[in-house]
Amino acid sequence: MDVQGEVLQTGAPAWYGDLLREVDDRTRHLQAEVAELRTELAAARAELGEDVAAVQTEVEGVRRAVNARPVDSGDEDGDLRLDMVEGFAAVRAELAHEFGSVRSEMLDLGIKLDRLLNRDGCR
């Protein structure tokens, strides 16, 4: 027997049943919202992975182009390529750091969602 039926059989006021129905409705609504958030989180993770892979491909292409010719002393193009290499190395390090931060935050969000579901007895 469900909790609502037990409450009503014990002679509790009728509004207890209404309250239990409302709690049940809200719980189901929260479960649906959490499922939707999980879906959006998974999609965001996949999209972020694709974006990072595309950026890495672009960086590799630029790196190959920059490293195509050796740098000679006094060569303006060589100096420019060297500056580009240093700039891209800095950008790549920053992107890696940002990706790590976003990944960490997404994992934290997933853990928090799991804790909320377990705490509220939604599973």
Side-chain angles (χ1 to χ4, degrees), residues 38 108-123:
R38 285 179 178 269
D108 288 345
L109 179 60
I111 290 168
K112 288 176 184 176
L113 285 172
D114 286 341
R115 286 182 182 161
L116 282 172
L117 287 173
N118 288 335
R119 183 188 73 193
D120 293 339
C122 293
R123 285 193 174 188

Side-chain angles (χ1 to χ4, degrees), residues 18-63:
D18 294 337
L19 180 65
L20 288 174
R21 272 191 293 283
E22 183 178 341
V23 168
D24 187 49
D25 289 344
R26 287 184 181 187
T27 300
R28 289 174 197 244
H29 180 72
L30 286 173
Q31 286 174 335
E33 286 181 352
V34 167
E36 185 178 329
L37 284 173
R38 285 179 178 269
T39 302
E40 289 176 16
L41 181 61
R45 282 181 180 166
E47 185 177 338
L48 181 62
E50 291 171 1
D51 289 347
V52 168
V55 168
Q56 187 172 0
T57 301
E58 291 293 325
V59 168
E60 291 297 326
V62 170
R63 182 178 295 144

Side-chain angles (χ1 to χ4, degrees), residues 40-123:
E40 289 176 16
L41 181 61
R45 282 181 180 166
E47 185 177 338
L48 181 62
E50 291 171 1
D51 289 347
V52 168
V55 168
Q56 187 172 0
T57 301
E58 291 293 325
V59 168
E60 291 297 326
V62 170
R63 182 178 295 144
R64 281 192 301 274
V66 168
N67 291 330
R69 292 189 300 162
V71 177
D72 296 328
S73 176
D75 181 12
E76 288 183 27
D77 288 340
D79 292 340
L80 178 61
R81 284 194 304 274
L82 193 57
D83 289 343
M84 287 175 60
V85 167
E86 292 171 355
F88 282 120
V91 168
R92 186 171 190 224
E94 185 178 338
L95 283 173
H97 175 73
E98 289 297 320
F99 176 72
S101 295
V102 169
R103 185 176 183 273
S104 176
E105 288 176 15
M106 290 183 128
L107 289 172
D108 288 345
L109 179 60
I111 290 168
K112 288 176 184 176
L113 285 172
D114 286 341
R115 286 182 182 161
L116 282 172
L117 287 173
N118 288 335
R119 183 188 73 193
D120 293 339
C122 293
R123 285 193 174 188

